[in-house]
Amino acid sequence: MFKSHELPECIYEPNQPILIRPKSSTPKNIMYLSNLDDQKFLRFSIKYLYVFRKAVNIETLKESLSRVLVEYYPFAGRLRKCVENDDGKLEIDCNGEGAVFAAAKMDLSADEFIEFFAAKPNRSLRKFMYIVEAPDFLDIPPLVIQVTNLSCGGIILCTVINHCFSDGIGTSQFLHAWAHTCQSIHSPNPTNLPYTLPPFHDRHVLTPRTPPQITFPHPEFTNSTPSNSQTTPNIFKYLQSQPLIPASITFSPSQIRHLKNQCVPSLKCTTFEALASHTWRCWVKSLGLPLSIPVKLLFSVSVRTKMSIPQGYYGNAFVMGCAEAEAKELITPNLRDGVKLVQHAKSTITNDYVHSMIDLLEDKSMRMDLSTTLVISQWAKLGLEDLDFGEGKPIHMGPLYSDIYCLFLPVVGEFEAVKVLVSMPESVVDKFEYYMTKEFCGVVENGDAKNHVYEVDHLKMVSV
């Protein structure tokens, strides 16, 4: 029986990894990336981890990937700097070099993974990801896949997808197209398989205007040479400097209703609005931030319907909504105030606002303001947990590891439930989890802001 909290060694099959190229010829061109794709904030890879109770045949996975890369041919290409200018803008060289595919095995069962590792993923799970040795982010292929066979007959599938190529909706679309293709290879009745959207490739639907027209304030961004006071604590740098451990809280449908009911009858809100506001205030309280500093919440908002973007578009088509308040306004028991801030931030994101933001990003010195900010990314409503390659849906879906960015994750088998995952310093994780759950225990103390926070000098935050 597996007892250790350390993963066994991952043993790669002979001659691994290999490159999976498109099954047939594909366009050889240079693909433009929009300013939403090209943000420095997105120059990393999205790492999904799936646990399947029953293994899918490796050769079928390879064959189906080769076929789906004919349609999604940019994923077989390579990211590079644009040769036409020297401002660092990126583009995709659709050269068909292929995706990296590695097969491995581990002496671990699916149930052991669920029991010991699924709730709070940490960086030890990198054993499930093939690490491409490369001098620079641009040199890493945009699609890297590792399939690890488990001792129980199941598999763990890890996909590493360059965020400059697609957002969460786009990656879900691609993965479902791959799964659909895999099922169709051996399906006795392929006409009964669910329909998948054909990809829409052209990123010019989100080009900036000439000349740029920046007609709105964009508080989610700051210039590369920030003017903040030297005494302002930089939460982001502080968190990056600390050893972090994951905090994980699963909210059942009834607990989510309890949160939302705190806003009625004067205010109606969505699950995301209530949970984002609650997480924001608990994050601020647990870190013990100075009461007078402004704190931001950034959260992803899809603009596909606002911008009339064609169906099948898999590029980045989201912007960051930005709510802002002083810390003292957030750490009260009143959830309504935070919900109103989130709703207002969402309401400002219109067609004109997005165009203004795209134009703003023509200035390559602009960057996302993370200094006193909690970032929330919504994975819970993308259908990621429904992926089926022909041997059943996953028993677990989540990130490869936890980070300082907060994720709202789906709960397999419970569509209305949401898991909140974020990494924090060990000294405050218990406080954060307590604040996140205490309302459900009927414990709301007066003076929490005073009695249950650390002073900022105890955190030793670095200044901007």
Side-chain angles (χ1 to χ4, degrees):
M1 179 68 180
F2 181 80
K3 297 291 185 184
S4 172
H5 285 252
E6 290 295 322
L7 281 170
E9 286 305 308
C10 184
I11 302 172
Y12 287 95
E13 302 293 346
N15 304 315
Q16 297 295 309
I18 63 172
L19 285 174
I20 303 292
R21 295 184 172 86
K23 181 77 171 178
S24 57
S25 62
T26 57
K28 301 296 188 289
N29 56 24
I30 302 302
M31 179 172 285
Y32 166 82
L33 290 178
S34 78
N35 283 351
L36 298 188
D37 296 315
D38 191 38
Q39 299 177 74
K40 289 183 172 60
F41 177 63
L42 298 184
R43 294 188 183 183
F44 66 95
S45 296
I46 309 173
K47 303 171 181 68
Y48 298 137
L49 184 142
Y50 289 90
V51 182
F52 293 93
R53 182 78 69 186
K54 188 176 180 182
V56 183
N57 181 273
I58 289 286
E59 295 307 315
T60 305
L61 285 170
K62 293 176 184 176
E63 172 68 18
S64 57
L65 181 60
S66 180
R67 292 187 189 186
V68 82
L69 286 176
V70 176
E71 280 195 298
Y72 287 86
Y73 61 90
F75 286 108
R78 296 294 183 265
L79 198 63
R80 72 178 195 184
K81 290 183 180 179
C82 183
V83 297
E84 295 180 357
N85 55 57
D86 58 0
D87 64 0
K89 186 171 178 60
L90 302 180
E91 60 189 11
I92 302 174
D93 182 3
C94 300
N95 55 21
E97 284 190 24
V100 174
F101 188 103
K105 60 183 178 181
M106 183 180 287
D107 187 14
L108 178 78
S109 72
D111 288 334
E112 288 165 348
F113 179 88
I114 297 298
E115 180 178 356
F116 293 103
F117 299 101
K120 295 187 176 184
N122 58 62
R123 289 185 179 268
S124 71
L125 301 193
R126 290 165 68 96
K127 290 182 180 180
F128 295 112
M129 174 184 72
Y130 183 81
I131 298 176
V132 177
E133 299 293 341
D136 186 78
F137 173 68
L138 295 181
D139 299 305
I140 299 174
L143 178 60
V144 179
I145 292 160
Q146 179 172 316
V147 178
T148 305
N149 286 287
L150 304 176
S151 58
C152 61
I155 59 169
I156 288 180
L157 169 68
C158 178
T159 64
V160 182
I161 303 174
N162 190 308
H163 208 328
C164 296
F165 283 61
S166 60
D167 58 13
I169 293 175
T171 57
S172 180
Q173 178 181 313
F174 167 73
L175 290 172
H176 277 279
W178 179 22
H180 177 277
T181 305
C182 189
Q183 287 189 52
S184 69
I185 290 177
H186 294 301
S187 173
N189 192 4
T191 57
N192 288 339
L193 292 175
Y195 172 74
T196 58
L197 288 170
F200 184 88
H201 297 289
D202 190 359
R203 310 294 174 101
H204 288 89
V205 295
L206 294 173
T207 52
R209 295 168 292 194
T210 304
Q213 302 171 42
I214 304 164
T215 53
F216 290 85
H218 294 278
E220 66 271 34
F221 289 98
T222 184
N223 193 276
S224 292
T225 54
S227 59
N228 302 52
S229 166
Q230 292 298 310
T231 61
T232 302
N234 189 314
I235 304 167
F236 185 75
K237 286 185 178 180
Y238 161 70
L239 292 174
Q240 285 187 316
S241 71
Q242 299 296 303
L244 304 175
I245 62 173
S248 176
I249 306 98
T250 297
F251 287 81
S252 68
S254 63
Q255 289 171 324
I256 291 171
R257 284 194 297 271
H258 178 85
L259 266 184
K260 293 167 71 173
N261 286 340
Q262 294 180 34
C263 297
V264 297
S266 59
L267 184 67
K268 292 183 178 180
C269 63
T270 66
T271 292
F272 177 83
E273 291 163 355
L275 198 53
S277 304
H278 180 56
T279 303
W280 188 23
R281 69 175 176 178
C282 295
W283 185 81
V284 170
K285 289 171 70 173
S286 61
L287 286 173
L289 304 181
L291 300 183
S292 60
I293 70 165
V295 185
K296 293 180 181 179
L297 171 68
L298 297 182
F299 55 94
S300 50
V301 179
S302 173
V303 299
R304 281 169 166 77
T305 56
K306 300 177 190 298
M307 305 293 289
S308 300
I309 293 174
Q311 284 196 322
Y313 186 87
Y314 60 93
N316 288 282
F318 76 96
V319 299
M320 302 302 287
C322 180
E324 185 173 8
E326 290 188 350
K328 63 187 175 186
E329 300 175 66
L330 298 171
I331 58 177
T332 68
N334 185 354
L335 186 65
R336 287 188 295 273
D337 292 342
V339 168
K340 288 178 182 177
L341 292 170
V342 173
Q343 290 180 337
H344 175 72
K346 287 172 65 176
S347 71
T348 63
I349 298 174
T350 61
N351 180 292
D352 291 340
Y353 181 93
V354 178
H355 277 299
S356 176
M357 176 184 157
I358 292 170
D359 291 354
L360 175 75
L361 290 173
E362 282 291 275
D363 180 354
K364 298 306 178 184
S365 69
M366 300 305 298
R367 59 183 175 87
M368 201 68 69
D369 183 11
L370 302 175
S371 58
T372 56
T373 304
L374 173 65
V375 179
I376 296 178
S377 183
Q378 168 73 298
W379 289 18
K381 302 299 179 185
L382 302 180
L384 290 164
E385 72 279 18
D386 294 328
L387 203 64
D388 186 349
F389 288 89
E391 298 293 351
K393 294 180 181 180
I395 59 172
H396 170 80
M397 181 275 151
L400 186 66
Y401 49 78
S402 177
D403 210 333
I404 57 177
Y405 300 128
C406 180
L407 297 177
F408 285 3
L409 299 169
V411 179
V412 172
E414 296 184 64
F415 179 72
E416 297 299 329
V418 178
K419 182 165 81 171
V420 178
L421 179 68
V422 63
S423 282
M424 305 186 76
E426 186 173 6
S427 59
V428 299
V429 164
D430 288 345
K431 295 166 67 66
F432 176 73
E433 292 182 343
Y434 169 73
Y435 289 135
M436 288 287 282
T437 59
K438 70 174 187 176
E439 279 82 0
F440 306 130
C441 301
V443 181
V444 180
E445 298 130 336
N446 293 325
D448 273 342
K450 209 185 316 184
N451 300 328
H452 295 287
V453 296
Y454 290 126
E455 297 297 332
V456 67
D457 56 343
H458 290 168
L459 294 179
K460 297 180 181 177
M461 291 186 182
V462 291
S463 296
V464 174

